[in-house]
Amino acid sequence: MNEHQALTDFIEYSPQDMLSRAEANYHEVKRRHSIRQFSSRPVDRAIIEQCLLAAGTAPNGANHQPWHFVAIESDEIKLQIRAQAEAIESAFYEGRGGEEWLSALKPLGTNASKPYLSEAPWLIAVFSQKRGGQHEDGHTQNYYVHESVGIATGFLIQALHHAGLATLTHTPKPMSFLTDICGRDADNERPYILIVAGYPRADATVPEHAKYKKPIEQLVSFL
Ligand SMILES: Cc1cc2nc3c(=O)[nH]c(=O)nc-3n(C[C@H](O)[C@H](O)[C@H](O)COP(=O)(O)O)c2cc1C
């Protein structure tokens, strides 16, 4: 199959409109912050579904779409995840993380306690797939798996933010317990990231350290 179709959904904007769209987008994404205090206010599944559909449009190696998302709203499963994550993180913060990593985390004020894992309305476990192709046939090789899943996760975070939700990217190390809890195939899939999504609590805070973003001179070289 090597058929191509005309590109019919590209929209051209004037250069002025492009600049104002680019500025508006920057202002919108600048308001995204990882937060660690979530309200338990519910969020409709339909909203989460649309954000996941957006994530599934991400560019990826050979369009094999080497990802699977497990969207969790079950209180029981969230509690299981919290218990496992807190046990792992206790070991990490008690020294397994190593001095350098632990001191890099100090300004964020994070610790082994993760109440948001059971309090937030949604946890989304992102899995990467080594094999399977578009139809998850179990044998077709996937390509650029890590890069592809990273981009899809970025799309997901952006979609959730755009919809009006706050998020946290959470990566307990190791994360293999997510494979069991989510009932995924440990031979072919790896847990990639856990996204916490919901409304921020009224007293939610943002670490000063996280608000610093590199200025344009440091961020970019134009050649
Ligand atoms: C791959 C990755 C893993 C992360 N893991 C954690 C985590 O386990 N716990 C946590 O509190 N924050 C975690 N974060 C959030 C970062 O601390 C946060 O993105 C960073 O401080 C910048 O802040 P911002 O997201 O508000 O811009 C992670 C972020 C990324 C991209």
Side-chain angles (χ1 to χ4, degrees), residues 19-34:
L19 181 58
S20 49
R21 289 173 63 85
E23 285 168 352
N25 180 60
Y26 172 48
H27 285 289
E28 160 132 355
V29 299
K30 228 166 79 164
R31 292 190 300 102
R32 183 209 55 79
H33 305 290
S34 295

Side-chain angles (χ1 to χ4, degrees), residues 44-55 71 122 124 156 160:
D44 281 352
R45 175 171 162 168
I47 299 166
I48 301 299
E49 261 181 31
Q50 290 302 308
C51 296
L52 289 164
L53 284 168
W122 289 96
I124 304 172
L156 175 61
L160 291 163

Side-chain angles (χ1 to χ4, degrees), residues 131-204:
R131 296 176 303 278
Q134 292 187 344
H135 305 294
E136 304 196 1
D137 60 19
H139 58 82
T140 301
Q141 180 65 43
N142 289 335
Y143 303 98
Y144 292 114
V145 171
H146 207 73
E147 295 83 348
S148 302
V149 182
I151 295 170
T153 304
F155 272 40
L156 175 61
I157 293 169
Q158 153 63 12
L160 291 163
H161 171 67
H162 185 70
L165 293 169
T167 57
L168 176 67
T169 313
H170 187 47
T171 45
K173 222 172 151 71
M175 272 192 288
S176 40
F177 67 89
L178 284 174
T179 306
D180 292 339
I181 294 179
C182 297
R184 303 304 302 172
D185 168 13
D187 284 339
N188 191 35
E189 295 190 356
R190 291 274 174 281
Y192 185 82
I193 262 175
L194 184 64
I195 302 290
V196 185
Y199 292 94
R201 235 170 43 201
D203 62 349

